[in-house]
Amino acid sequence: MIKTFFDFCSGIGAGRLGLERCGLKCVGHSDTSRLADCSYRLLHQTEDKNYGNLKKLGQDNLPDFDLLIAGFPCQTFSVIGRQAGFSDDRGQIIFHLSRILREKRPKCFILENVKGLVRHDNGQTIKKIIEELEESGYSTTYKVITSLNCGVPQMRQRVYFVGIRKDKVNNISDFVWPEDMPMPKLEDYLIDRVPISTLNLDILKRYLVNPTNAGKYTVEDLSRMNGKVLDTRMNDLRIYDGKVPTLRAQRDGIYYVFDNKIYQLTGYEALILQGFPKEYADRVKDKVTDRHLLMQAGNAMTVNVIEMLGICLIQYLKTKENK
């Protein structure tokens, strides 16, 4: 049985909440962002120790735990980043995580990264990561999961790694991944209804006349698209129905239309779209700036996905132990 976990690269603790919903206990977290840690403490109402930079952590300064969870830095593998991968120092975090696995020997782990990792360097990067985790003593599998299929209306695709110590299970090729859930109604998530600011409206107008979008829409056209989500990604205006695009830390510019009015996505709504219950989001509203919440939500894992993975992992281990 697994009872405890350590929350590495913790951010605002979406992974923590997902695993707590599975009945597991957090014994510590680690993150280098002071602002994210402030939100973490508010969201989870905790004064737990932040162990800090995981590169400096190991056998001598970490508690024991059954499960390691980490959404390790993704900027170096992302399609919107430089895709430097292992040549960038941020891409080395995975090797520190594997070192901690070797030193602490937890029973299992859950890791998360961007979908682009799967095809980075023609598949050589993910091959190297799997080899590293296997050599650390863990039978490992992975899958790209979309948050849309896990109970939130967000088009977030991420690759998830699940590993179990080989003395527990030598081959997890038969690991059972979560089954898809129906997508909920988007209007239940877009509840703040903050009108688009003058600044953002000016930015949107510039999008509408750039070479990519010129002549397609006016602001008046968009304001009549009730129920639609508008995404000013790069130079391209994209329009979605019933769902929002992937939340990202390095940009905002997501809007939506109801009652012939254009609203801007808020940090509060972004948290809910990442699976945080409203009572959690209420704890940081008006205490953390909207811009920081948007960035932090964009960096977070989706709570629902981690909860579903945790349930699958616990059940899988139970099945194997009973045999």
Side-chain angles (χ1 to χ4, degrees):
M1 282 291 294
I2 54 175
K3 297 181 179 180
T4 60
F5 66 92
F6 196 102
D7 190 8
F8 289 97
C9 305
S10 52
I12 58 174
R16 173 181 180 141
L17 180 55
L19 292 179
E20 285 180 338
R21 285 179 164 180
C22 300
L24 304 184
K25 180 182 178 181
C26 182
V27 298
H29 71 284
S30 163
D31 202 276
T32 57
S33 168
R34 180 185 63 83
L35 291 172
D37 195 55
C38 288
S39 297
Y40 186 104
R41 295 182 183 283
L42 289 169
L43 285 164
H44 303 282
Q45 297 184 330
T46 180
E47 292 299 325
D48 292 353
K49 177 181 177 180
N50 179 357
Y51 284 73
N53 190 343
L54 67 82
K55 294 181 180 181
K56 301 177 181 179
L57 301 176
Q59 178 62 46
D60 297 333
N61 50 14
L62 282 172
D64 292 333
F65 50 91
D66 297 322
L67 185 153
L68 179 154
I69 185 168
F72 60 102
C74 64
Q75 298 96 323
T76 56
F77 303 117
S78 173
V79 292
I80 64 169
R82 291 181 292 122
Q83 292 197 326
F86 292 127
S87 65
D88 186 313
D89 183 58
R90 291 171 299 182
Q92 306 302 321
I93 293 295
I94 183 62
F95 297 115
H96 288 278
L97 289 170
S98 67
R99 172 184 55 77
I100 291 170
L101 287 171
R102 291 193 301 272
E103 293 178 6
K104 294 299 298 183
R105 305 290 293 157
K107 295 178 182 178
C108 53
F109 65 76
I110 296 173
L111 302 177
E112 179 253 23
N113 209 291
V114 292
K115 177 187 175 184
L117 179 64
V118 174
R119 60 180 179 274
H120 182 265
D121 194 19
N122 295 316
Q124 291 304 303
T125 296
I126 198 165
K127 179 181 177 182
K128 187 171 183 178
I129 288 174
I130 295 295
E131 289 174 352
E132 178 72 17
L133 295 169
E134 291 277 349
E135 289 172 4
S136 296
Y138 291 80
S139 181
T140 305
T141 185
Y142 70 91
K143 183 179 181 180
V144 173
I145 297 177
T146 303
S147 295
L148 277 177
N149 296 329
C150 296
V152 293
Q154 183 197 168
M155 299 164 59
R156 191 179 197 85
Q157 291 184 304
R158 291 292 184 264
V159 58
Y160 295 88
F161 301 83
V162 172
I164 298 175
R165 210 171 64 210
K166 289 183 178 179
D167 64 306
K168 298 289 182 182
V169 180
N170 191 48
N171 186 331
I172 63 167
S173 60
D174 60 343
F175 179 75
V176 180
W177 294 90
E179 294 184 3
D180 291 354
M181 293 177 59
M183 189 174 68
K185 294 180 179 179
L186 181 60
E187 54 263 36
D188 293 337
Y189 292 75
L190 303 181
I191 57 178
D192 242 2
R193 302 296 169 90
V194 173
I196 187 170
S197 68
T198 300
L199 174 61
N200 284 335
L201 183 59
D202 287 341
I203 294 172
L204 179 59
K205 288 177 179 178
R206 289 201 294 271
Y207 266 91
L208 296 181
V209 296
N210 71 23
T212 304
N213 302 306
K216 293 181 180 179
Y217 306 104
T218 65
V219 170
E220 290 71 25
D221 292 332
L222 298 180
S223 66
R224 289 190 289 269
M225 295 183 179
N226 288 312
K228 304 294 187 183
V229 174
L230 316 174
D231 180 20
T232 54
R233 182 179 182 180
M234 299 181 184
N235 289 322
D236 187 15
L237 175 70
R238 302 185 183 186
I239 301 172
Y240 301 94
D241 188 13
K243 56 192 176 184
V244 300
T246 301
L247 303 176
R248 294 181 175 87
Q250 300 305 321
R251 67 168 184 88
D252 38 25
I254 297 177
Y255 311 104
Y256 59 90
V257 186
F258 282 114
D259 301 320
N260 298 324
K261 296 178 182 178
I262 300 176
Y263 300 93
Q264 59 191 42
L265 187 77
T266 66
Y268 182 84
E269 292 166 328
L271 288 175
I272 298 171
L273 284 162
Q274 284 287 46
F276 282 92
K278 294 173 186 176
E279 58 265 32
Y280 276 72
D282 286 339
R283 296 170 185 172
V284 292
K285 192 172 187 179
D286 301 324
K287 294 180 181 178
V288 180
T289 67
D290 197 60
R291 183 157 187 82
H292 280 120
L293 283 180
L294 283 167
M295 292 175 63
Q296 291 164 2
N299 267 333
M301 293 184 272
T302 301
V303 174
N304 303 46
V305 178
I306 300 304
E307 179 183 7
M308 293 169 70
L309 280 175
I311 291 171
C312 288
L313 184 52
I314 291 169
Q315 185 58 49
Y316 182 80
L317 282 168
K318 280 183 179 179
T319 301
K320 294 296 182 180
E321 287 170 359
N322 289 338
K323 290 183 178 180

